[in-house]
Amino acid sequence: MDQETRGPGRTGKRAPYANGAKKRAELVEAAFRVFAEKGYLGLSIRQIAEAVGTSHTALLHHFGSKEALLEAVLVLREEREGPWRQELISEKGLLETVPAVMRHNAGIRGVIHLDATLRAEAISPDHPAHHFLLRRNQDFVDSVQSELERELAAGRLREGFPPAVLARQITALVDGIQLSWLYDESVDMAEHLQGFMDLIKKT
Amino acid sequence: MDQETRGPGRTGKRAPYANGAKKRAELVEAAFRVFAEKGYLGLSIRQIAEAVGTSHTALLHHFGSKEALLEAVLVLREEREGPWRQELISEKGLLETVPAVMRHNAGIRGVIHLDATLRAEAISPDHPAHHFLLRRNQDFVDSVQSELERELAAGRLREGFPPAVLARQITALVDGIQLSWLYDESVDMAEHLQGFMDLIKKT
DNA sequence: GTCTATACTGTGATAGAC
DNA sequence: GTCTATCACAGTATAGAC
């Protein structure tokens, strides 16, 4: 949650996670792999700990709660994929990037499953991951919207459809299609997003 | 789940739920009201039982499991709203009905919350409500698709966009926008669905 | 700082008395 | 049909060993 910018703990005493940051990072990494490979099927922290190779209390020592661990996994994913997405956007533009992201997501089912589950669980404002997920979603909407404004200014979009609405539609479509796909993998996520891009493109 | 057509139990002995059906229906009705009014916030069956006015074991006796109760609530909702939706479609057509349904859903937040939560929880195929939700979703996609084909044949839709893809996009958009709205009620669900309808309409 | 051991509360579920 | 125990399991909190 609150990992302020702070150099790798040289002093080794004052700050929490001064040396523990390394161990913590390993655990998140391992947990990420467990989710990505074995999927998210209502795993208890005891099961996660076993798959990762520690005790469940050790996990809690580093993360404080189960939800905090789950959130840390999603943060890791964001850190890992954010730059890659941004690069792809500036290379190929938004209209090609979104379907490409969907193709990529089809390869990390467990993480997408975790994402969908946590997002529904965290609807209540007092859920520990609520604000993180709300912010992440809003950031995504904002980033899509600014790209849409660029495309619109370049004359590549149909007129009369406000980017703010289109941005939220795209975001919602991603969420909804991922849910559909989690229920039935024969749903082609990229195709459905590509279809939407074709709808808003100037003919 | 398996409420076959069966007259109100006259004999009062052989069939399960012969007399219990009345009590069961009351319980579902009460549970529905609890969700619609107080919202779904990780309620335990003990809390639901208290709000409904029974013991949690009585609920389990009638429904077998918590998920079965939740599913029964969604079945009740389907039975209640299905006919209304169908009527609206034949009156106003699909393009006006979908936004109208979103306006209606904005008035039953707790049920929408329950729906979103259960849908994410039931992704795993061995979840008790998995097949019900998969079928309900597929039925919705099919029904939207056949309406789109009618609209297309009537010349009211842009050409080159297969109804099968559009139908799934609309379904996913409904799911995704409802999620967005659960996080932030200032999101206008009807507006976003109306916007999509405008995108696929023939100009 | 890191981890183990242990116990506490609440969950969904089951068995059996009435 | 309903209620009283009781169950195994969940997430969590704390004390203390290394």
Side-chain angles (χ1 to χ4, degrees):
Chain A
M1 250 322 214
D2 47 352
Q3 47 228 50
E4 302 94 60
T5 47
R6 171 201 296 149
R10 238 182 358 90
T11 68
K13 62 151 104 150
R14 218 186 118 264
Y17 306 150
N19 282 339
K22 186 161 162 289
K23 185 72 184 191
R24 185 190 146 101
E26 286 175 14
L27 289 174
V28 183
E29 182 70 43
F32 184 95
R33 233 176 297 124
V34 170
F35 285 121
E37 288 170 14
K38 307 201 175 176
Y40 177 90
L41 46 146
L43 284 84
S44 68
I45 45 176
R46 285 170 174 86
Q47 289 174 295
I48 300 172
E50 189 183 7
V52 158
T54 10
S55 64
H56 80 280
T57 45
L59 276 184
L60 285 180
H61 169 71
H62 284 284
F63 298 95
S65 78
K66 182 191 182 185
E67 306 298 340
L69 168 61
L70 266 35
E71 187 179 324
V73 170
L74 292 186
V75 169
L76 173 65
R77 179 191 169 211
E78 234 19 54
E79 286 171 355
R80 185 165 292 173
E81 298 181 3
W84 169 74
R85 277 204 287 256
Q86 208 53 43
E87 189 185 348
L88 198 61
I89 284 183
S90 53
E91 265 182 43
K92 303 273 191 175
L94 181 75
L95 269 42
E96 282 191 46
T97 296
V98 174
V101 169
M102 299 312 279
R103 267 186 294 274
H104 170 258
N105 285 357
I108 47 170
R109 189 180 204 280
V111 177
I112 302 300
H113 190 164
L114 166 63
D115 199 308
T117 307
L118 200 54
R119 194 152 144 69
E121 279 175 1
I123 289 172
S124 305
D126 49 340
H127 187 286
H130 178 84
H131 290 97
F132 165 70
L133 287 174
L134 182 58
R135 165 147 300 283
R136 192 194 55 163
N137 204 250
Q138 192 58 51
D139 286 349
F140 186 71
V141 172
D142 290 345
S143 125
V144 169
Q145 177 175 346
S146 79
E147 289 299 327
L148 284 171
E149 279 160 357
R150 192 190 318 280
E151 297 285 345
L152 184 62
R156 284 193 285 269
L157 293 189
R158 294 173 68 188
E159 273 137 48
F161 296 93
V165 174
L166 291 179
R168 211 169 264 287
Q169 284 170 334
I170 290 172
T171 309
L173 201 48
V174 168
D175 287 341
I177 285 289
Q178 283 180 346
L179 248 187
S180 281
W181 172 79
L182 286 166
Y183 271 86
D184 175 6
E185 293 203 7
S186 75
V187 172
D188 187 330
M189 299 195 284
E191 177 193 10
H192 286 82
L193 266 297
Q194 184 60 58
F196 187 84
M197 299 305 166
D198 293 341
L199 275 170
I200 68 176
K201 249 189 307 202
K202 175 161 273 173
T203 50
Chain B
M1 257 309 223
D2 47 352
Q3 46 227 47
E4 303 92 62
T5 48
R6 173 203 292 148
R10 239 182 358 89
T11 68
K13 62 150 103 147
R14 216 185 120 264
Y17 306 150
N19 281 339
K22 186 162 162 290
K23 184 74 184 193
R24 185 189 147 102
E26 286 174 14
L27 290 174
V28 183
E29 182 70 43
F32 184 95
R33 232 176 298 125
V34 171
F35 284 121
E37 289 170 13
K38 306 202 177 176
Y40 177 91
L41 45 147
L43 283 82
S44 67
I45 44 176
R46 284 171 175 85
Q47 290 174 294
I48 300 172
E50 189 183 8
V52 157
T54 9
S55 63
H56 83 279
T57 45
L59 277 183
L60 286 178
H61 169 72
H62 283 284
F63 297 95
S65 78
K66 181 192 182 185
E67 305 300 338
L69 167 62
L70 267 35
E71 188 180 324
V73 170
L74 292 186
V75 169
L76 173 66
R77 178 192 168 210
E78 233 20 53
E79 287 171 354
R80 186 165 290 172
E81 298 182 2
W84 169 73
R85 277 203 287 254
Q86 207 54 43
E87 190 186 346
L88 198 62
I89 284 184
S90 53
E91 266 182 41
K92 304 272 192 175
L94 181 74
L95 269 44
E96 283 191 46
T97 297
V98 172
V101 168
M102 300 311 280
R103 265 185 296 273
H104 170 257
N105 285 357
I108 48 171
R109 190 179 203 280
V111 177
I112 301 300
H113 190 164
L114 166 62
D115 199 309
T117 307
L118 199 54
R119 195 151 144 69
E121 279 176 359
I123 289 171
S124 305
D126 48 339
H127 187 286
H130 177 83
H131 290 97
F132 165 70
L133 287 173
L134 182 58
R135 166 146 299 282
R136 192 195 57 164
N137 205 249
Q138 191 58 50
D139 287 350
F140 186 71
V141 172
D142 290 345
S143 123
V144 170
Q145 179 175 345
S146 79
E147 290 299 327
L148 284 170
E149 279 160 358
R150 192 188 319 279
E151 297 284 346
L152 185 61
R156 285 192 284 269
L157 292 189
R158 291 172 70 189
E159 273 137 47
F161 296 93
V165 174
L166 293 180
R168 210 168 267 286
Q169 285 171 333
I170 290 172
T171 309
L173 201 48
V174 169
D175 287 341
I177 285 289
Q178 283 181 345
L179 248 187
S180 280
W181 171 78
L182 285 167
Y183 271 86
D184 175 7
E185 294 203 8
S186 76
V187 172
D188 186 330
M189 299 195 284
E191 176 192 13
H192 286 82
L193 266 297
Q194 184 62 56
F196 186 84
M197 298 306 165
D198 293 340
L199 275 170
I200 67 176
K201 249 192 304 202
K202 176 161 273 172
T203 50

